[in-house]
Amino acid sequence: MAMNLRLTDAESDALRAKADQEGRSMQEVARAAIAQYVSDRPQRLQAAIERVSTEDRELLERLSR
């Protein structure tokens, strides 16, 4: 599937620098970053839920009454 992605100049520069550093194309680096983001989402979501339930435990207990 083809897709256009608009980046700021700073984002484009950073992506180009990373690609040059790794000897890969900007497309390869971007696709790898997307794949990592998508695969880490369940773990990041669970961590966020645990953080909220810990930090707001008292409030959540009061709301459940």
Side-chain angles (χ1 to χ4, degrees):
M1 174 180 167
M3 176 181 165
N4 291 324
L5 178 63
R6 288 174 175 64
L7 301 174
T8 65
D9 289 341
E11 291 167 337
S12 183
D13 291 344
L15 181 58
R16 183 173 287 106
K18 188 68 169 173
D20 289 345
Q21 176 187 9
E22 295 181 3
R24 300 192 298 165
S25 71
M26 291 172 61
Q27 180 176 335
E28 288 174 319
V29 173
R31 290 179 68 191
I34 291 167
Q36 181 180 357
Y37 178 82
V38 171
S39 69
D40 289 351
R41 188 175 190 287
Q43 292 83 7
R44 288 184 294 107
L45 178 59
Q46 185 60 39
I49 290 169
E50 290 173 10
R51 186 177 64 251
V52 168
S53 66
T54 299
E55 292 174 1
D56 297 328
R57 176 169 281 131
E58 182 181 331
L59 173 62
L60 292 171
E61 288 174 3
R62 288 190 313 204
L63 288 172
S64 68
R65 293 182 198 157

